[in-house]
Structures are given as structure tokens and as C-alpha cells.
């Protein structure tokens, strides 16, 4: 158990490149050694098969030349390398052995072959100080034939094969080590670049760095990982840029009301020097500016989350909600006329309070740009083959083509709107709420002048 823990700890502490190189080396080396071992046994088996075939032919030839010989030595010159095979006949009964000793060793297994109770077999022996191979086979009833040949050439061939295969295996292991190093170095190069880029971003806190990708057509898993990392860096850069812009814009927007608040607070602090009318105006201005700052801070808090809170979603009937929002807008903008056309029975999943905030922002924006006595048109209908759509159209100056791409950006205010009240956060918040409800909010120039905002909900599933 302790050895296993040490091995696991060692693997955890090694760099990924080292572990990959060792894994590739071990795999290729194992294959190389396995192939060499298999080749050795194949060569060894082929050489012995050839020698056994020669023994079988020698036994057949000895039996043909001596068809019915008694127990005796038939040929005994196999002590020489090029001599024919040694041959002898062995009886099943040891009592029938000849007076002259046998040239080849006789074992109880040979007696069993002579008696017919055992199949023929091969065995390795040493004859006259040299390695030999012997075949014991049946001869005639009650007798067995033993033949033997020198096995020096076979043993030498096996030794040479073992030497060359061992050399090939060693070369294979070395090649596996080089291949493992190369695979680890080239295969993990993108990972190394990812790590270097991440370390550079950590050190500089600058997410503008990117990983260099190979040309198109050479994508693999690591390349896709690097591409995903670059995409993540782009999102991070945009997020950081948006946060910095939000802080800068918020500082700019808060500076004016805070300055006015301080001025009015200082005036009220010297209340004994002011008339009752001056104190009343200062108090009213202070209260108005406090409400503006409070609204601005609340909007900033909601937008800074960059996502809608997870509230309870329910089925919302849009027609009553639109009527309610238009009624509130009429009370807030008495100089503007609102005309509503709402199709009944339209229901969408959502959060009523958030949808009410979205519609109120659109209505306030339309009323703010409408001249006195002008009309704001609000329509609710179901698109043919699609989902519900709410449109808010005013008859004001409209949106310039250069301003259309930026109307939903935080704190963005067109040139015509800089003199009007507001912080430039209403439309940004409206789009954020729309996206949280799987709806699309777009702005466009209305035919005949004015601005038109379309809030299109997804078709019911």
C-alpha cells in the first residue's frame, strides 16, 4: 500500500510532459519487447520444427532399412555434426536388452512407447558432450525406435536470434524514449502556450493576450482547447472592459448629482441666511436629487449583476400588464397621449414585476422624446407563425443611424438626449430583462419619423 501511495504521489508531482513521455515510452517499449519476444519464440519453434522433421525422416529411413531388427544399435555416428542420425531399437522388456550398452539414453518413457502405452515424443539430450535432439517412436510390436541428431546448429541459431532480437528490443526501447519525448513536446506545445498565456495574464492582469493557433485545416483536440481558451479570453476582455467602462461612466454620471446634492446641503446648512422660499426650493431640489441618485444607484446595482435574479416564473397575461404600465405612464407624463391596441389572451412565461419594469422603461423613453401633445402608440399582437410582440412607437426626432447600434449600451446617450433627464441605463436594463425572458428587443426608425421598439417573445413550445 505504501509503495502504491509513493507511486501515485510521484506521478502527481511530475510535470504532465514527463508523465506523457514516460507513458508513451512505456507503451511503445512494451510493444517492442513483446514483438521481439514473440519473434524469438517463433524462430525457436521454426528451428526445432525443422530439426524434428529431420528426425522423423531419419526414423522412417532407419525403419525402412531395418524392417524387423532386434534390440540393438543400428547407427552410431551422430557424435559428428554432419554424420547421419544415431538409431537404436529398444524393447519394452528390459530383460531383452542386448549385452552391448545402448548408445542413446533409455528411459521408462521409451519402454512405454515400445509397449504401446505412450505416444512418440521428442526430448533434448547431451550426446558425446554435444547437445542433441532425440525422437522416440514406435517400431514393431514390443519395440521402439530411438533416433538422435546433433542440435548445435539449432542452438546456435536460437542464440543468434536471441542476440539480434535483444538488440532490436533495446533499439526499440531507445526509439520509444525518443518518440515519447517528441510526442510529449509537440503534442503538449499548445498546452504549454496556454499555460504561458495564463501566467502572463496573471502577472500583467491584461486579458488581451491570445494563443497562436495553427493554420486552418490542422485542427485537433488541443487546437480546439486553445481556441476555446482564446474565446474565453475575449469574453474576459469584454467583461473587464465593460466593468471599467461601467465604473468610469458611473463616476461621470454620479459626479453631477452629487455636486448638486452637496451644494444644496451646504445651502440648507446655512438656513438662517436663507428666506423661507429659498429653503423650500433647496429642500425640494435636494429631495429630487436624492431620488435621482437613489434610482441611478439601484439601476447600477441591477445592471452590475449582468444577469436577472432567479425569481418565480409564472404565466403572465400581457394585455392587462400593458394596460397597467400605460396607465402608470399616463400619470407620470400627463402631457403625452398614449394609445393602446392589445390583443387579449396573450400569455408568456415570466416575472410580472420585471416585465413591468421593461415596459415602463420603454414607455418612459418614448414619452421623454415625444413633443407636447404627441402620441405614443403601444401595440400587442401575435406574429403570424411566431410568438407575441409588443411595439412602442413615438413621434419624436427618432434615432440617428449612427446611434442605432449603441442605444442599448449602458450610459449611452445620443446627442439629442443629453439635455433630457435620465442616466442612459433604462434601455440597457430593458434589454437585459428581455434576454432573461428569451425575448428579443430591437430599436429601429419608425416609418414617417420617430423611434420604434419591438419586444418579440419566443413562440410557445
Amino acid at each position: 500500500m505504501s509503495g502504491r501511495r509513493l507511486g501515485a504521489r510521484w506521478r502527481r508531482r511530475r510535470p504532465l510532459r514527463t508523465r506523457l513521455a514516460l507513458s508513451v515510452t512505456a507503451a511503445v517499449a512494451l510493444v517492442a519487447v513483446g514483438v521481439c519476444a514473440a519473434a524469438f519464440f517463433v524462430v525457436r519453434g521454426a528451428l526445432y520444427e525443422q530439426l524434428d522433421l529431420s528426425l522423423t525422416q531419419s526414423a522412417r529411413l532407419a525403419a525402412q532399412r531395418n524392417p524387423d531388427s532386434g534390440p540393438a544399435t543400428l547407427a552410431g555416428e551422430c557424435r559428428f555434426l554432419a554424420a547421419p542420425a544415431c538409431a537404436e531399437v529398444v524393447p519394452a522388456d528390459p530383460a531383452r536388452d542386448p549385452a552391448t550398452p545402448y548408445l542413446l539414453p533409455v528411459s521408462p518413457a521409451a519402454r512405454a512407447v515400445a509397449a504401446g502405452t505412450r505416444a512418440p515424443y521428442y526430448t533434448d539430450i547431451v550426446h558425446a558432450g554435444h547437445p542433441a535432439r532425440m525422437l522416440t517412436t514406435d517400431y514393431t510390436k514390443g519395440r521402439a525406435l530411438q533416433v538422435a541428431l546433433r542440435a548445435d546448429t539449432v542452438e546456435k541459431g536460437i542464440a543468434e536470434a536471441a542476440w539480434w532480437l535483444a538488440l532490436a528490443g533495446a533499439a526499440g526501447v531507445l526509439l520509444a524514449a525518443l518518440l515519447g519525448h517528441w510526442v510529449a513536446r509537440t503534442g503538449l506545445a499548445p498546452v504549454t502556450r496556454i499555460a504561458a498565456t495564463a501566467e502572463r495574464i496573471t502577472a500583467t492582469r491584461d486579458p488581451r493576450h491570445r494563443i497562436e493557433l495553427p493554420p486552418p485545416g490542422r485542427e485537433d483536440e488541443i487546437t480546439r482547447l486553445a481556441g476555446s481558451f482564446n474565446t474565453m479570453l475575449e469574453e474576459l476582455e469584454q467583461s473587464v472592459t465593460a466593468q471599467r467602462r461601467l465604473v468610469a461612466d458611473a463616476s461621470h454620471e454620479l459626479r453631477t448629482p452629487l455636486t448638486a446634492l452637496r451644494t444644496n446641503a451646504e445651502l440648507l446648512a446655512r438656513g438662517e441666511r436663507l428666506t423661507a422660499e429659498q429653503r423650500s426650493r433647496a429642500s425640494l431640489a435636494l429631495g429630487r436629487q436624492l431620488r435621482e441618485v437613489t434610482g441611478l444607484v439601484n439601476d447600477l446595482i441591477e445592471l452590475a449583476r449582468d444577469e436577472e435574479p432567479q425569481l418565480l416564473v409564472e404565466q403572465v397575461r400581457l394585455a392587462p400588464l400593458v394596460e397597467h404600465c400605460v396607465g402608470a405612464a399616463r400619470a407620470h407624463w400627463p402631457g403625452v397621449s398614449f394609445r393602446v391596441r392589445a390583443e387579449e389572451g396573450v400569455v408568456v412565461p415570466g416575472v410580472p414585476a420585471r416585465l413591468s419594469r421593461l415596459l415602463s422603461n420603454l414607455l418612459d423613453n418614448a414619452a421623454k422624446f415625444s413633443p407636447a401633445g404627441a402620441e405614443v402608440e403601444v401595440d400587442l399582437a401575435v406574429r403570424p407563425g411566431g410568438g407575441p410582440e409588443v411595439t412602442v412607437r413615438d413621434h419624436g426626432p427618432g434615432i440617428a443611424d449612427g446611434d442605432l447600434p449603441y442605444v442599448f449600451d449602458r450610459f449611452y446617450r445620443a446627442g439629442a438626449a443629453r439635455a433630457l433627464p435620465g442616466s442612459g441605463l433604462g434601455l440597457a436594463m430593458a434589454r437585459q430583462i428581455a434576454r432573461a425572458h428569451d425575448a428579443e428587443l430591437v430599436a429601429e426608425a419608425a416609418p414617417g419619423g420617430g423611434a420604434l421598439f419591438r419586444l418579440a417573445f419566443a413562440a410557445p413550445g
Side-chain angles (χ1 to χ4, degrees):
M1 181 64 70
S2 60
R4 188 177 303 173
R5 289 178 180 174
L6 288 175
R9 189 180 306 166
W10 183 87
R11 286 193 298 271
R12 286 195 301 267
R13 291 181 177 178
R14 295 301 95 192
L16 179 59
R17 179 181 297 182
T18 302
R19 284 182 283 162
L20 180 60
L22 291 177
S23 300
V24 174
T25 300
V28 178
L30 184 63
V31 171
V33 172
V35 169
C36 291
F40 169 77
F41 286 109
V42 168
V43 171
R44 182 177 179 274
L47 291 175
Y48 271 111
E49 183 180 3
Q50 187 65 33
L51 181 59
D52 293 344
L53 181 61
S54 298
L55 284 172
T56 302
Q57 293 175 348
S58 297
R60 187 179 298 113
L61 182 61
Q64 290 175 355
R65 290 179 178 177
N66 305 278
D68 192 18
S69 175
T73 299
L74 303 180
E77 299 301 322
C78 62
R79 64 180 180 274
F80 301 110
L81 192 60
C86 296
E88 62 186 18
V89 177
V90 179
D93 186 4
R96 299 182 59 189
D97 287 344
T100 305
Y102 289 113
L103 189 65
L104 302 175
V106 178
S107 64
R111 305 285 186 184
V113 173
T117 58
R118 178 171 177 166
Y121 66 94
Y122 297 93
T123 183
D124 295 321
I125 62 174
V126 177
H127 179 65
H130 300 288
R133 184 132 172 115
M134 182 176 68
L135 167 64
T136 302
T137 184
D138 50 351
Y139 179 56
T140 58
K141 185 176 181 181
R143 285 170 285 179
L145 177 63
Q146 294 192 143
V147 293
L149 282 172
R150 287 272 297 272
D152 303 58
T153 53
V154 173
E155 296 291 338
K156 183 179 180 181
I158 292 175
E160 289 181 355
W163 164 254
W164 286 108
L165 289 174
L167 187 62
V173 172
L174 179 60
L175 179 62
L178 296 176
L179 181 62
H181 176 72
W182 178 80
V183 168
R185 184 173 182 178
T186 57
L188 294 180
V191 178
T192 303
R193 291 196 295 269
I194 292 175
T197 303
E199 292 171 356
R200 193 179 308 117
I201 292 173
T202 302
T204 61
R205 296 186 177 275
D206 184 2
R208 291 177 297 177
H209 299 286
R210 297 291 183 272
I211 301 170
E212 183 180 355
L213 299 178
R218 296 175 56 186
E219 292 84 1
D220 55 16
E221 290 79 2
I222 300 296
T223 303
R224 289 199 294 271
L225 174 62
S228 300
F229 192 78
N230 281 345
T231 303
M232 182 187 68
L233 289 177
E234 292 176 4
E235 296 292 336
L236 178 62
E237 181 182 2
Q238 293 177 5
S239 177
V240 171
T241 303
Q243 288 181 0
R244 290 173 178 172
R245 187 171 62 245
L246 177 63
V247 172
D249 292 342
S251 301
H252 176 75
E253 292 293 333
L254 285 170
R255 186 177 294 116
T256 300
L258 287 176
T259 301
L261 279 173
R262 184 176 60 185
T263 301
N264 288 315
E266 291 174 352
L267 282 174
L268 289 175
R270 298 194 298 269
E272 69 279 358
R273 302 179 185 179
L274 301 177
T275 65
E277 183 181 356
Q278 289 174 333
R279 281 196 302 270
S280 177
R281 285 202 306 267
S283 297
L284 291 175
L286 185 63
R288 184 177 62 255
Q289 290 151 3
L290 280 173
R291 288 192 296 272
E292 291 179 1
V293 171
T294 301
L296 177 59
V297 171
N298 289 336
D299 290 346
L300 283 173
I301 291 173
E302 291 191 20
L303 285 172
R305 283 196 292 256
D306 202 31
E307 60 181 10
E308 284 290 291
Q310 297 297 322
L311 301 175
L312 182 62
V313 176
E314 58 184 271
Q315 296 298 318
V316 181
R317 293 187 301 152
L318 284 182
L321 184 67
V322 170
E323 293 285 356
H324 172 75
C325 294
V326 171
R330 285 194 180 108
H332 191 261
W333 302 92
V336 178
S337 174
F338 291 86
R339 181 169 59 85
V340 181
R341 289 191 298 268
E343 183 177 327
E344 296 294 335
V346 180
V347 179
V348 296
V351 181
R354 303 306 295 162
L355 291 175
S356 177
R357 180 66 180 276
L358 187 160
L359 294 173
S360 297
N361 287 359
L362 294 180
L363 293 171
D364 287 343
N365 181 79
K368 182 169 61 176
F369 287 95
S370 296
E375 188 177 56
V376 173
E377 301 173 14
V378 183
D379 290 328
L380 166 62
V382 177
R383 304 187 308 274
E389 181 179 79
V390 179
T391 60
V392 178
R393 187 253 171 95
D394 62 64
H395 293 271
I399 305 174
D401 293 340
D403 294 328
L404 271 176
Y406 310 105
V407 293
F408 294 106
D409 290 352
R410 298 168 182 174
F411 295 107
Y412 182 79
R413 304 182 73 183
R418 298 191 183 277
L420 298 175
S423 61
L425 296 177
L427 292 180
M429 186 177 300
R431 170 166 281 188
Q432 179 173 297
I433 298 173
R435 288 176 174 173
H437 287 78
D438 294 327
E440 183 180 7
L441 178 61
V442 296
E444 59 189 57
L452 176 66
F453 287 85
R454 295 184 184 275
L455 175 63
F457 291 90

